[in-house]
Amino acid sequence: MAEIVHDFFPLMRVYKDGRIERLMGEGFVPPESDPETGVQIKDIEIDPEINLSARLYLPKNVDTVQKIPLFVYFHGGGFVIESASSPSYHKHLSTVAAEAKVVIVSVNYRLAPEYPLPIAYEDTWLGLKWVASHANGDGHEPWLKDHADFNRVYFGGDSAGGNIAHHIAIRVGLEKLDGVKLEGIFLACPFFWGKDPIDGEGENLVAKDFVEKLWLFANPNSSGLDDPLINPEKDPKLSSLGCDKVVVYVAGKDPLRFRGFYYKEVLEKSGWPGTVEVVEVKDEEHVFHLFATEAENAMGMMKKLVSFLNQS
């Protein structure tokens, strides 16, 4: 049996012979309309040369007169597993599109280690620029041209996707996108950490070791856990976050939860002028809402997200 050189159970393993074994997140759901919700779904190639694509969701009973909010989503998976076509994201976003009545673009960025960070950030920015091209009529995707309200744009993501949503929102604040108004971001169990432990974190050395090894595996040129890409406190651009509303969900049994609370603290201290709310769900694990979608806590989070996407 081949020797394991990197073991990130339950996510993936890498063997000495170079073989990569992804232990989860490999499922694929074809882009077919959801019979339960009536949501239409399709995949779009954004840049075939780098295999960059997105999955789009359009709720039923929409027209071209009353445009609806646009929700750009970034999936999780520690930057190394999952995709926009994974069963858990397909189901989750079908429900969001139906309940919130929003157009959704779920960006299918490339994964580490084959494509190490910062490639995922660059892919998602390219995906967002493709989305934004429809704000002034240049784009050719009718679901965006005909139905998306580019004055009501939101980002969302879970785990690593929450990290990406945060950084793409900062880039929007710095570089702007013509015709696009980013209203807010919704982060579920976002993947943040730091070199020095914060309150409650020092008790879990196993989690720190796992996060640090995974981060350096996905981003081998990183300076470590105080890299601004994983530690928002160290980011001099933090106050440039390009929206004025943030909601962060943390799970009571998730080692990342302390960083969710700390994110609120450092964001408020940075001079950023918006409002940030942290919602803690007791007795739940990391990204609980993806694995028990009908459970009370997951439905409560869905209700909060639906409200967030329809507040303006």
Side-chain angles (χ1 to χ4, degrees), residues 37 48 171 177 213 285:
T37 61
R171 195 159 175 180
L177 289 169
K213 286 180 177 176
E285 304 283 354

Side-chain angles (χ1 to χ4, degrees), residues 50-68:
I50 60 171
N51 197 28
L52 178 61
S53 63
R55 178 155 291 193
L56 275 58
Y57 300 77
L58 184 71
K60 64 180 181 179
N61 299 330
V62 292
D63 57 51
T64 56
V65 177
Q66 186 68 42
K67 295 198 173 184
I68 56 179

Side-chain angles (χ1 to χ4, degrees), residues 7-310:
D7 192 348
F8 297 111
F9 182 84
L11 305 181
M12 72 184 305
R13 293 190 176 110
V14 181
Y15 295 89
K16 192 172 184 178
D17 61 8
R19 184 165 52 92
I20 295 169
E21 180 186 18
R22 289 185 165 89
L23 303 172
M24 58 188 298
E26 290 289 87
F28 174 84
V29 179
E32 298 171 351
S33 298
D34 183 10
E36 287 186 29
T37 61
V39 171
Q40 296 180 69
I41 301 165
K42 65 179 171 182
D43 289 343
I44 294 292
E45 282 191 327
I46 296 173
D47 188 339
E49 290 188 9
I50 60 171
N51 197 28
L52 178 61
S53 63
R55 178 155 291 193
L56 275 58
Y57 300 77
L58 184 71
K60 64 180 181 179
N61 299 330
V62 292
D63 57 51
T64 56
V65 177
Q66 186 68 42
K67 295 198 173 184
I68 56 179
L70 173 61
F71 187 39
V72 182
Y73 195 83
F74 311 104
H75 71 79
F79 302 103
V80 298
I81 63 167
E82 299 287 4
S83 73
S85 53
S86 295
S88 54
Y89 293 106
H90 183 91
K91 181 173 177 58
H92 175 62
L93 295 176
S94 295
T95 305
V96 174
E99 296 286 331
K101 201 169 184 181
V102 293
V103 183
I104 300 177
V105 177
S106 179
V107 181
N108 199 42
Y109 56 88
R110 289 172 291 173
L111 301 176
E114 297 92 336
Y115 302 98
L117 294 176
I119 285 175
Y121 299 109
E122 295 304 321
D123 280 359
T124 48
W125 179 250
L126 284 174
L128 182 63
K129 286 175 70 176
W130 172 81
V131 170
S133 72
H134 296 79
N136 58 17
D138 287 344
H140 301 293
E141 171 48 51
W143 287 8
L144 295 177
K145 286 178 70 173
D146 296 343
H147 302 294
D149 183 348
F150 286 91
N151 287 311
R152 291 187 290 164
V153 177
Y154 297 85
F155 295 168
D158 63 283
S159 194
N163 173 300
I164 291 172
H166 159 78
H167 284 291
I168 297 303
I170 287 179
R171 195 159 175 180
V172 168
L174 290 169
E175 300 184 29
K176 312 300 180 190
L177 289 169
D178 287 345
V180 174
K181 185 178 190 305
L182 180 61
E183 291 278 358
I185 59 175
F186 193 98
L187 313 181
C189 306
F191 186 78
F192 297 131
W193 207 270
K195 183 178 179 181
D196 297 323
I198 56 176
D199 284 350
E201 209 172 63
E203 306 158 14
N204 197 336
L205 296 178
V206 174
K208 180 181 187 295
D209 184 61
F210 183 86
V211 169
E212 184 167 25
K213 286 180 177 176
L214 179 61
W215 173 251
L216 291 173
F217 176 71
N219 192 359
N221 292 320
S222 172
S223 59
L225 291 180
D226 276 347
D227 185 328
L229 289 174
I230 193 170
N231 187 353
E233 183 185 19
K234 303 299 181 182
D235 191 348
K237 305 187 293 272
L238 183 60
S239 63
S240 298
L241 192 74
C243 62
D244 57 14
K245 303 181 196 76
V246 176
V247 170
V248 181
Y249 258 74
V250 298
K253 293 182 178 180
D254 183 2
L256 296 178
R257 68 190 182 280
F258 305 107
R259 291 287 163 176
F261 285 109
Y262 196 53
Y263 174 74
K264 169 181 164 67
E265 186 180 320
V266 298
L267 191 54
E268 289 176 337
K269 286 180 179 177
S270 73
W272 174 71
T275 58
V276 53
E277 176 187 4
V278 178
V279 180
E280 181 176 15
V281 184
K282 302 287 188 183
D283 301 319
E284 292 287 4
E285 304 283 354
H286 186 63
V287 296
F288 63 94
H289 62 292
L290 295 176
F291 302 111
T293 56
E294 307 299 324
E296 182 180 353
N297 285 335
M299 292 176 72
M301 181 175 164
M302 177 64 69
K303 185 177 180 181
K304 178 78 171 180
L305 175 57
V306 169
S307 173
F308 184 74
L309 296 174
N310 285 280

